[in-house]
Amino acid sequence: MTATPRRTQAERREGTIAAIVDAAVAALGEVGYARTTTAEIARRAGVSQGGLFRHFESRLDVIFAAADAVRARQFDDFREGLGALTQFDVAATVRLLRRATRAPINAAWYELLVAARTDAELQARLAPLADRYHREIIEMGRALPIAASMPPDELDTLVIGIVYMLDGEALTASVHVDARQEDARVEQVVRILAGEPAFEGESSAPRQA
Amino acid sequence: MTATPRRTQAERREGTIAAIVDAAVAALGEVGYARTTTAEIARRAGVSQGGLFRHFESRLDVIFAAADAVRARQFDDFREGLGALTQFDVAATVRLLRRATRAPINAAWYELLVAARTDAELQARLAPLADRYHREIIEMGRALPIAASMPPDELDTLVIGIVYMLDGEALTASVHVDARQEDARVEQVVRILAGEPAFEGESSAPRQA
DNA sequence: AGACATAGCGAGTGATCACTCGCTATCTTG
DNA sequence: CAAGATAGCGAGTGATCACTCGCTATGTCT
């Protein structure tokens, strides 16, 4: 019945580990950190609980591997989206960023951020990953064509600020969405990045030397 | 030994309920949603587990009461901070907002937001509170002196955008802080709210009619 | 082929979860 | 002051947690 495909030990190992990590990422996104139990992960991965602990010493080790997978995948996905644009467009780029922050996989990242706040061990493991994430976002921003039109550190601050803003929007999205404001927000960001005032003032009397 | 202060039933009830709600808020902030158990809340409130269930039908009811307490207290604190300013100052106001998002009590709100994403019951209870929170933030923004210098809906979008940005910053703070960027971010926000470009462009050639 | 190593299994284990229940302590009402 | 109501207690209860352990299944090495 069961045709055994004859895989090497390394292949079996690798495949099982990948299944467990994928399962953990999906579970974090779908049921949250607290309910991402070893039983839940094993069930989703099609592995027994004992089998899971053959490859990971603890639940935290699985979680950590999942966190790094999320970080890596988010960049792959975003760069893929950027590459699909026929030409650079600030509004489209901001919408890509929003799509990234709203992606199910990114919800897993938020779960980890929040859990890390009150879990010292997780915090210690996650901090280096978060630093790297932060660095990669900045690098990504500097690689954008718009980088030529403003000082690098001002761009860095703007890019991170925009990402933070979309993070806040994504977090609140589970209990409150305002589609009209979301569109308006993209337009404001576009104006800011274009070096224009953020709003169309009716009586814009510029003061301050 | 124990001098009984002879309180009425209503006073006893009220006092116990307040202690439980306070304990829940503190627990959410200090140990997170998952570890804010009925035992933890009862211990902090100085009440037995059974005593807790005398006043609340379920853990979720306690959590809900805590959520509303957080929302109310955040506005009281913020308005108090605003009142303490000798005169209106955009930078100081943004820093007050940051202080609010970084306050321990606000961490409780983030815990609830994230938990609500994967908990349908909590989501249903929290959504009306979140709507109200959102509305009150907008009203607060419109009451600021700066409201006179730009169209109301543009201001709304900016204010919520800034709050979201500070939310994202606060969330990431447990694993990554960048004090220099945080200062720069306030300055950028001030420039944006003043109707100036967000950055000091070196070769600012304004295009677009 | 036979000896050995690694992969995978699933029934435990003690701790902790939300919540219940029978009880006592305190207040209210006539 | 007596009877009834409300407040508060803490030892259960079944479910679920991360993790262990003795076992079998499969791949590797000579």
Side-chain angles (χ1 to χ4, degrees), chain A residues 88 90 141-150 155 159 190 193-194, chain B residues 199 207:
Chain A
F88 181 70
V90 175
R142 291 202 183 186
L144 258 30
I146 202 174
S149 64
M150 71 183 81
L155 174 72
V159 167
V190 170
L193 281 170
Chain B
F199 52 92
R207 342 150 229 219

Side-chain angles (χ1 to χ4, degrees), chain A residues 15-90:
Chain A
T16 304
I17 289 180
I20 291 172
V21 171
D22 287 353
V25 170
L28 282 170
E30 287 170 31
V31 300
Y33 182 78
R35 286 209 299 279
T36 298
T37 64
T38 55
E40 175 74 19
I41 296 168
R43 191 184 57 75
R44 286 169 179 259
V47 176
S48 67
Q49 281 217 59
L52 185 150
F53 284 96
R54 170 77 53 191
H55 302 290
F56 295 91
E57 280 198 359
S58 68
R59 173 184 185 249
L60 190 59
D61 282 351
V62 186
I63 297 289
F64 177 73
D68 201 38
V70 168
R71 183 200 55 73
R73 259 182 254 175
Q74 277 293 71
F75 275 100
D76 289 350
D77 291 355
F78 183 76
R79 277 192 247 270
E80 194 183 307
L82 257 192
L85 293 181
T86 49
Q87 64 173 52
F88 181 70
D89 171 346
V90 175

Side-chain angles (χ1 to χ4, degrees), chain B residues 104-151:
Chain B
I105 197 179
N106 205 48
W109 185 258
Y110 296 140
E111 291 285 334
L112 295 171
L113 275 187
V114 169
R117 193 183 63 83
T118 54
D119 181 333
E121 249 180 305
L122 179 59
Q123 187 177 59
R125 301 288 297 269
L126 212 54
L129 279 188
D131 282 347
R132 182 168 170 191
Y133 207 169
H134 189 262
R135 228 179 310 121
E136 288 176 324
I137 291 172
I138 285 179
E139 280 166 25
M140 181 272 297
R142 291 202 184 187
L144 259 28
I146 201 174
S149 64
M150 71 183 81

